[in-house]
Amino acid sequence: MYPPSRKDFVSLTLSDPHSHTYNNGKHRRQSCWRKWKQLSRLQRSLILFLLALLLIFGLLSYPSITEQWRGLSDREDWLELNDREVKTILPDVKSVLGQAADKAPAPVAGPHVEPALGPALRPDVGPDVVPDSVVEPREPNIPILAKPPTKKKTFPNKRGPPSLQKDGNISDTVGGEKQEQDVVQDGEGEEEDKEKKIVSWRGAMIEADQATEPPPSADEKEAAVPRVPANPANTVPLEVSTGTTVDRLEAVRDAFRHAWKGYKDYAWGHDELKPISKSFGEWFGLGLTLIDSLDTMWIMGLKEEFAEAKNWVEKELSFNKNVDVNLFETTIRVLGGLLSTFHLTGDQLFLDKAKDLGSKLMPAFKTPSKIPFSDVNIGKGTAHPPRWTSDSTLAEVTSIQLEFRELSRLTQDPQYQEVANEVMRLVHKLPGKHDGLVPMFINTNSGQFTHKGVFTLGARADSYYEYLLKQWIQGGKAEDDLLEDYLQAVEGVKKHLVRQTGASRLTFVGELSHNRFNPKMDHLVCFLPGTLALGAHNGLPGDHMDLAVELTETCHQMYKQMETGLSPEIVHFSLQASDGRDVVVKPADRHNLLRPETVESLFYMYRFTKETKYRDWGWDILQSFNNYTKVSDGGYTSINNVRDPVNPGPRDKMESFFLGETLKYMYLLFSDDMELLSLDKYIFNTEAHPLPIWPSPPK
Ligand code: DMJ
């Protein structure tokens, strides 16, 4: 064995600079210098080169590090909630009940169960939505995202291929993602956590690494949006409207066909298309996009596409599989989609499938409190909460009623409506509401609200409010408890959550967290103007419509003020006039998931007011989707950054609700046929699947 030659290694001795003991420093310095001189020229050059590299790297990363720290300390928008005099906010429910429903108040009742009638036997259902012509497919227009930008990171498919279903891992995957969401939600004001973890909700189960943004560029450093929106040349829409109704309807059909082409080519029968990687994502393994799209295709008159999809439902769709599904998502997308398609087509196939699914979801309700679990294994007939809690999300347990009630009515089997109505009865009498506003969680053992003190109209609570009104309308305005809860909630929203920006007096809906007002608004909240307008149309107070008008303007601004013309997932509004700006978008909130809520509200607002500006705003949004989210070979993709028109950062996912909701509401917005799914005959579930309003029960 040979000792290493002197030139083969370098010995470094590190001294402790904080040590106060005598260490003969001068001697050591001399010895270091001697050692340095003993090194070969090559060794010295190598060390100097490495040190220079380290220095350059340190200098380059300095701005992004300081930028991140600046973001982390951003707490200026948390404001003390004004002490307000508490007054009775609902002295007048009974009189509203009288005016709106023109009926004597009655206790909450189960829905009136009628004999099931297919559309052929129901003069009010069917003919008005039967497509009148087959529209020939046209070439997809203007490929925008021909290739993923070279800067794009490649992201592993964390949700995994369908093989996950076989080994029963799906629930773990979904659960894992939700767990991360909870960390975010629970950590009040923890923006830094949110940036590292999950930035979305419900159906937009974004992998944590997809949520991570690259270090901010010079352009990105200015997160605040100027009051006068920037309009660089490349934000000019590539397609300019000439404005005719027919053009617009055809453009929506084109968009749908393009989305469908991507799904058909690369994700057929799977849950979601990944259009950039030309592959698919699996969530429950139930063909989510296909089922969510059925009624949209029927409404748009896309007969060929519909026939192919129906064939898949007939031959391939099976609920006999060992897979955990989320009760809420499966109900609103799959059960809702099957029920509405049955109504539109009269085809028994869809009702049979709906019945099969409904019965397989029932184990979710076997809990001590009768508040359902979040997850059901439809193959095993077992149900459970998420792994980390026995809570369910409030919006989830209170946004399955339209579908379960309709299933009972059609099948004349009361079990579905009974479990769904029971949840509403329990929540109705539960203490812990704040002027009609509800916390975001409810425990499946105790049946009590948990995580009290946070009130939002966004994620985890949103469709509770929507379904209060819609159940009331569905049931023929006979269930007064639902109306009472809805009216009280709207008053609570006005009192605690509605504010205006300092600069342009934009009305928005913020959040309340332990008596502190946070001027944060999810894009999800943009469902609210449409719901308020629907209530006003059904006889509820006129000031609901006033608020709807103002909030629609704000949701429109959330798109208009962005460089891509697309809204971010979350905005923060500025209450200070001196800020000179209305909207601030934080780096972690800049993504767009092709969500429907604003287009949904534009549809309601146009139907009730006939003001063309709502159509024009919708048209602008469609142009922006085409410009920044359309993938050349088929499909549309969620994007990372609505503020960067040069590199919006495709996320490689097309959510099923883009076809089920966004494009459907867009089409209905542009249609001149007000009887096409008349809002006096149909109620749309929270996934935009139309269900019939029941005939009034006999007086
Ligand atoms: C849809 O699944 C439904 O609209 C739900 O109520 C909220 N989230 C998505 C769309 O954003």
Side-chain angles (χ1 to χ4, degrees):
M1 187 184 274
Y2 300 97
S5 89
R6 191 167 49 83
K7 287 186 182 177
D8 285 338
F9 68 95
V10 178
S11 154
L12 288 178
T13 307
L14 300 175
S15 66
D16 176 6
H18 304 297
S19 166
H20 297 292
T21 55
Y22 176 68
N23 61 4
N24 195 8
K26 188 176 173 199
H27 171 77
R28 276 169 192 251
R29 271 197 301 278
Q30 282 173 350
S31 137
C32 275
W33 178 245
R34 232 189 341 266
K35 280 183 180 161
W36 173 256
K37 296 291 277 180
Q38 284 168 351
L39 295 177
S40 72
R41 181 170 296 179
L42 180 66
Q43 285 173 320
R44 277 185 287 184
S45 312
L46 201 63
I47 292 171
L48 287 174
F49 177 69
L50 287 174
L51 286 174
L53 265 185
L54 274 176
L55 185 68
I56 291 169
F57 179 76
L59 285 174
L60 285 178
S61 49
Y62 176 75
S64 71
I65 291 169
T66 51
E67 174 70 14
Q68 287 195 14
W69 277 104
R70 237 168 353 121
L72 297 185
S73 61
D74 181 7
R75 294 282 186 277
E76 89 249 348
D77 46 12
W78 282 87
L79 302 172
E80 283 295 338
L81 181 72
N82 291 338
D83 271 341
R84 284 160 180 255
E85 202 184 339
V86 180
K87 57 179 187 199
T88 315
I89 58 173
L90 265 185
D92 220 15
V93 170
K94 293 296 175 198
S95 70
V96 176
L97 282 171
Q99 288 161 18
D102 195 27
K103 289 186 182 82
V108 169
H112 174 65
V113 177
E114 281 199 332
L117 297 179
L121 302 175
R122 298 171 56 85
D124 58 331
V125 179
D128 55 349
V129 290
V130 172
D132 46 4
S133 63
V134 178
V135 182
E136 288 306 317
R138 299 199 314 198
E139 284 301 302
N141 59 5
I142 316 173
I144 302 305
L145 295 171
K147 292 275 180 257
T150 46
K151 267 169 72 182
K152 180 185 175 297
K153 262 170 68 180
T154 52
F155 302 112
N157 178 3
K158 286 203 171 169
R159 186 173 289 170
S163 56
L164 281 179
Q165 293 167 52
K166 292 181 190 123
D167 57 29
N169 279 347
I170 283 186
S171 64
D172 288 353
T173 311
V174 172
E177 287 172 340
K178 280 192 157 187
Q179 188 165 25
E180 289 178 306
Q181 288 174 340
D182 279 342
V183 174
V184 173
Q185 295 289 343
D186 289 345
E188 181 191 328
E190 300 286 340
E191 292 293 335
E192 63 274 33
D193 271 354
K194 185 163 67 177
E195 287 182 28
K196 288 179 203 142
K197 293 171 185 167
I198 294 293
V199 289
S200 186
W201 183 71
R202 283 195 199 166
M205 310 298 275
I206 306 304
E207 288 87 351
D209 55 357
Q210 283 192 317
T212 309
E213 302 225 338
S217 66
D219 290 347
E220 285 175 310
K221 282 184 188 167
E222 178 48 71
V225 179
R227 281 177 67 190
V228 179
N231 187 21
N234 52 16
T235 66
V236 175
L238 298 182
E239 224 178 316
V240 178
S241 158
T242 49
T244 70
T245 301
V246 175
D247 280 346
R248 291 179 173 188
L249 280 178
E250 208 41 45
V252 184
R253 275 201 199 97
D254 279 346
F256 184 93
R257 283 195 202 96
H258 187 77
W260 189 250
K261 176 186 183 313
Y263 178 74
K264 191 176 162 186
D265 288 351
Y266 308 117
W268 183 252
H270 297 286
D271 283 342
E272 289 153 343
L273 168 68
K274 292 164 89 76
I276 304 288
S277 56
K278 299 186 172 49
S279 60
F280 56 85
E282 211 68 285
W283 190 4
F284 309 137
L286 296 179
L288 281 188
T289 297
L290 190 147
I291 298 177
D292 236 355
S293 303
L294 286 167
D295 55 8
T296 306
M297 290 186 279
W298 186 262
I299 292 160
M300 289 183 179
L302 302 174
K303 288 182 178 170
E304 215 173 284
E305 291 86 347
F306 179 86
E308 281 176 317
K310 180 193 156 182
N311 194 44
W312 183 87
V313 172
E314 197 167 5
K315 308 265 166 53
E316 307 287 338
L317 178 62
S318 165
F319 302 119
N320 290 321
K321 43 167 63 173
N322 177 11
V323 59
D324 277 337
V325 304
N326 174 280
L327 170 69
F328 163 76
E329 297 290 359
T330 308
T331 299
I332 65 169
R333 298 183 198 219
V334 185
L335 186 57
L338 292 169
L339 287 172
S340 70
T341 308
F342 165 69
H343 276 293
L344 300 183
T345 63
D347 192 326
Q348 185 69 23
L349 165 71
F350 299 105
L351 182 56
D352 290 344
K353 291 285 179 189
K355 267 193 275 189
D356 186 20
L357 176 60
S359 65
K360 289 190 158 59
L361 293 175
M362 287 300 280
F365 297 88
K366 288 192 186 131
T367 67
S369 65
K370 303 201 174 140
I371 299 296
F373 287 132
S374 59
D375 297 286
V376 191
N377 187 304
I378 49 176
K380 290 185 188 160
T382 55
H384 58 87
R387 274 176 303 159
W388 60 94
T389 177
S390 54
D391 289 350
S392 286
T393 298
L394 196 89
E396 293 194 359
V397 302
T398 55
S399 308
I400 50 179
Q401 281 68 19
L402 292 177
E403 300 82 354
F404 273 69
R405 287 157 42 122
E406 179 61 8
L407 185 59
S408 271
R409 196 179 73 93
L410 290 173
T411 61
Q412 297 191 66
D413 179 350
Q415 62 168 326
Y416 308 109
Q417 74 181 30
E418 280 170 9
V419 291
N421 281 347
E422 179 63 11
V423 177
M424 296 313 296
R425 265 194 290 269
L426 291 169
V427 172
H428 172 68
K429 59 183 194 213
L430 206 56
K433 295 192 197 111
H434 188 46
D435 290 334
L437 303 177
V438 289
M440 298 190 295
F441 296 96
I442 187 164
N443 190 271
T444 50
N445 291 321
S446 67
Q448 300 296 311
F449 291 129
T450 64
H451 299 79
K452 293 181 197 165
V454 179
F455 300 99
T456 175
L457 263 278
R460 297 183 185 279
D462 51 358
S463 44
Y464 160 73
Y465 303 101
E466 178 188 350
Y467 268 36
L468 285 175
L469 177 75
K470 288 185 172 177
Q471 286 175 83
W472 178 69
I473 295 172
Q474 178 193 43
K477 305 183 190 174
E479 296 149 285
D480 296 344
D481 285 354
L482 293 168
L483 177 62
E484 188 182 316
D485 288 351
Y486 177 74
L487 289 171
Q488 196 169 24
V490 174
E491 292 308 309
V493 168
K494 287 196 289 191
K495 180 176 169 188
H496 298 291
L497 305 183
V498 171
R499 297 285 185 279
Q500 288 193 323
T501 61
S504 304
R505 316 304 299 166
L506 287 179
T507 302
F508 68 94
V509 180
E511 297 183 354
L512 198 61
S513 180
H514 306 287
N515 284 334
R516 287 162 70 89
F517 181 73
N518 182 5
K520 160 183 177 279
M521 182 165 148
D522 295 351
H523 181 272
L524 287 167
V525 182
C526 288
F527 83 92
L528 185 61
T531 297
L532 288 169
L534 180 65
H537 176 73
N538 279 280
L540 302 190
D543 67 342
H544 290 202
M545 190 62 183
D546 299 340
L547 183 56
V549 169
E550 290 174 22
L551 290 174
T552 308
E553 169 70 37
T554 302
C555 291
H556 161 59
Q557 289 297 331
M558 286 163 60
Y559 284 72
K560 194 175 168 213
Q561 294 197 16
M562 298 299 121
E563 286 81 348
T564 56
L566 292 173
S567 170
E569 178 75 354
I570 298 170
V571 298
H572 287 73
F573 290 99
S574 174
L575 295 164
Q576 315 298 337
S578 56
D579 276 0
R581 65 193 187 193
D582 293 306
V583 182
V584 175
V585 185
K586 302 197 174 191
D589 302 335
R590 292 176 182 172
H591 48 295
N592 178 293
L593 306 181
L594 313 171
R595 284 199 190 277
E597 289 77 17
T598 296
V599 183
E600 172 184 353
S601 283
L602 292 174
F603 157 65
Y604 283 104
M605 295 304 287
Y606 181 75
R607 278 273 170 113
F608 297 137
T609 68
K610 303 291 181 308
E611 281 194 47
T612 54
K613 71 179 180 188
Y614 297 121
R615 282 182 159 180
D616 295 339
W617 294 351
W619 181 243
D620 289 344
I621 292 172
L622 181 63
Q623 304 313 299
S624 294
F625 280 134
N626 277 333
N627 289 347
Y628 297 107
T629 71
K630 189 171 181 178
V631 181
S632 62
D633 285 328
Y636 288 74
T637 177
S638 312
I639 56 172
N640 271 325
N641 191 350
V642 296
R643 307 226 41 215
D644 187 349
V646 176
N647 180 17
R651 294 169 86 104
D652 197 14
K653 187 195 265 198
M654 183 173 78
E655 303 284 347
S656 77
F657 50 67
F658 182 62
L659 293 85
E661 290 193 74
T662 312
L663 292 178
K664 184 189 289 151
Y665 282 130
M666 195 78 84
Y667 186 81
L668 293 173
L669 168 67
F670 297 139
S671 171
D672 281 334
D673 182 0
M674 298 297 126
E675 285 304 303
L676 178 61
L677 299 173
S678 158
L679 290 170
D680 294 319
K681 294 179 184 157
Y682 288 90
I683 198 80
F684 286 83
N685 87 340
T686 192
E687 190 76 4
H689 297 303
L691 300 172
I693 295 172
W694 302 337
S696 294
K699 291 197 177 180

